[in-house]
Amino acid sequence: MLDEVNENTELVMSLQESITSYYPESMDEFVGNISLLLPLIDNFTKIVFFVKDEQARYQLANRTLLKRCQLNKHADIIGFTTEEVFSHHQGKDYMVQDMKVLREGKSIVDNLELHSYASGQLGWCITNKLPIYDNNQQIVAMVGISVDIDEDNERVLRKHARLAEVAQFVRANLDQKINVAQLAELANLSVSQLERTFKAVLNMSPLQFVQKLRLEYAVKLLANPEMSVTQISLHCGYSDHSAFSRQFKQFTGISPTQFRHAYLTPKS
């Protein structure tokens, strides 16, 4: 699995480098040239790739994205926005994110997200969204690349004793305040060394790893109807209900209560 993570990371870095150094004459030219790469990108099942126009409408989407949205062909997504493809809450948040990239030229880099798809699949990923400029330095499109993060990192961590010790500590102390300096000291590494090691091995930063474990634990606890959201926030190391709800919505697009009803409530 580590080889696959490294392969995906290298592909994403190569794609991003090529894309950001290319200034097409128009959006149509960009889409036409990038579409030549789709047969390659379609082979990577743990990567979501798409291109959107200035109105945040899909112009290209790889097979992985189509499959997770339960769509059969490109025509089913081309010309639609995320509000039309995803659930209302999450689609709206994605749209706001897209327009920041397209209107303000602000790239989204290495953003940890918990996606939910039409298939009902939930999955963690690291997302990058990049504005595409034409040769007149006008934004004409946006590229999105999301790389899945495997939920079960145990096999990888067994090969990295220092990281395994850090992971064990985090899991045992999710209800406590945890900072990166504390984790670096535990691993007998500098903060920068710990950051580089986490990125190379798990494709995320130490802070993202802590956030991911907290949110996974929160999702598990939300499945228990006996526990209130306030109780869950304390169990997951948040100072109060509001702080927990804000971060939960940041990652999922909806509140803990909405998530509980949408994904964890048995359907009659």
Side-chain angles (χ1 to χ4, degrees):
M1 188 180 74
L2 181 57
D3 290 339
E4 185 177 2
V5 169
N6 289 337
E7 187 177 33
N8 288 343
T9 302
E10 290 172 7
L11 173 64
V12 169
M13 291 177 64
S14 178
L15 273 174
Q16 290 181 183
E17 184 177 349
S18 300
I19 287 168
T20 53
S21 61
Y22 168 44
Y23 300 96
E25 290 189 4
S26 66
M27 189 270 292
D28 289 338
E29 177 191 303
F30 179 77
V31 171
N33 286 333
I34 296 300
S35 65
L36 300 176
L37 297 174
L38 270 185
L40 168 64
I41 300 171
D42 278 341
N43 289 323
F44 291 87
T45 60
K46 292 185 177 294
I47 292 178
V48 163
F49 178 87
F50 56 82
V51 176
K52 296 180 181 178
D53 65 14
E54 292 176 90
Q55 304 302 316
R57 297 172 299 200
Y58 287 101
Q59 299 300 308
L60 281 178
N62 73 332
R63 186 182 300 149
T64 300
L65 178 56
L66 293 176
K67 182 178 178 181
R68 293 180 183 179
C69 293
Q70 292 188 320
L71 301 174
N72 297 318
K73 53 187 184 299
H74 286 94
D76 294 331
I77 198 171
I78 302 307
F80 294 101
T81 67
T82 54
E83 287 185 288
E84 297 166 312
V85 173
F86 291 86
S87 65
H88 171 70
H89 294 287
Q90 196 166 36
K92 186 177 181 180
D93 281 357
Y94 291 161
M95 188 69 175
V96 170
Q97 194 182 66
D98 291 348
M99 297 315 293
K100 274 196 170 184
V101 177
L102 289 163
R103 294 288 179 263
E104 302 173 27
K106 292 184 178 179
S107 297
I108 294 170
V109 180
D110 291 343
N111 195 46
L112 179 65
E113 296 178 338
L114 179 62
H115 281 293
S116 60
Y117 297 93
S119 62
Q121 178 179 353
L122 294 174
W124 288 99
C125 63
I126 296 291
T127 294
N128 295 271
K129 291 184 177 180
L130 311 170
I132 302 302
Y133 294 86
D134 64 13
N135 49 17
N136 293 315
Q137 291 301 299
Q138 299 298 310
I139 297 175
V140 294
M142 178 188 77
V143 165
I145 308 172
S146 293
V147 181
D148 290 353
I149 297 174
D150 199 300
E151 291 186 7
D152 183 11
N153 295 307
E154 293 305 317
R155 187 165 52 139
V156 175
L157 290 171
R158 279 200 295 269
K159 299 179 181 178
H160 299 270
R162 288 181 177 180
L163 292 194
E165 188 175 354
V166 169
Q168 184 178 3
F169 174 83
V170 172
R171 289 191 180 95
N173 293 276
L174 287 174
D175 60 338
Q176 304 295 318
K177 289 185 178 180
I178 300 173
N179 60 62
V180 177
Q182 181 183 16
L183 299 181
E185 183 178 356
L186 180 65
N188 196 26
L189 296 170
S190 68
V191 169
S192 60
Q193 287 174 324
L194 186 71
E195 294 273 0
R196 287 195 300 270
T197 305
F198 257 89
K199 192 68 177 175
V201 176
L202 297 178
N203 203 31
M204 68 184 104
S205 70
L207 179 58
Q208 287 174 327
F209 180 73
V210 173
Q211 292 171 329
K212 178 175 178 288
L213 290 187
R214 287 196 197 282
L215 268 292
E216 286 176 351
Y217 188 41
V219 168
K220 180 180 178 181
L221 295 180
L222 282 167
N224 180 0
E226 302 296 322
M227 293 192 72
S228 69
V229 173
T230 299
Q231 288 174 316
I232 292 170
S233 67
L234 295 174
H235 278 284
C236 294
Y238 294 91
S239 57
D240 56 48
H241 172 282
S242 297
F244 169 60
S245 294
R246 280 196 304 273
Q247 188 164 88
F248 194 94
K249 186 172 183 179
Q250 175 189 332
F251 284 108
T252 67
I254 57 179
S255 71
T257 300
Q258 290 169 329
F259 187 92
R260 171 178 262 169
H261 291 323
Y263 297 101
L264 304 175
T265 303
K267 306 295 189 292
S268 57

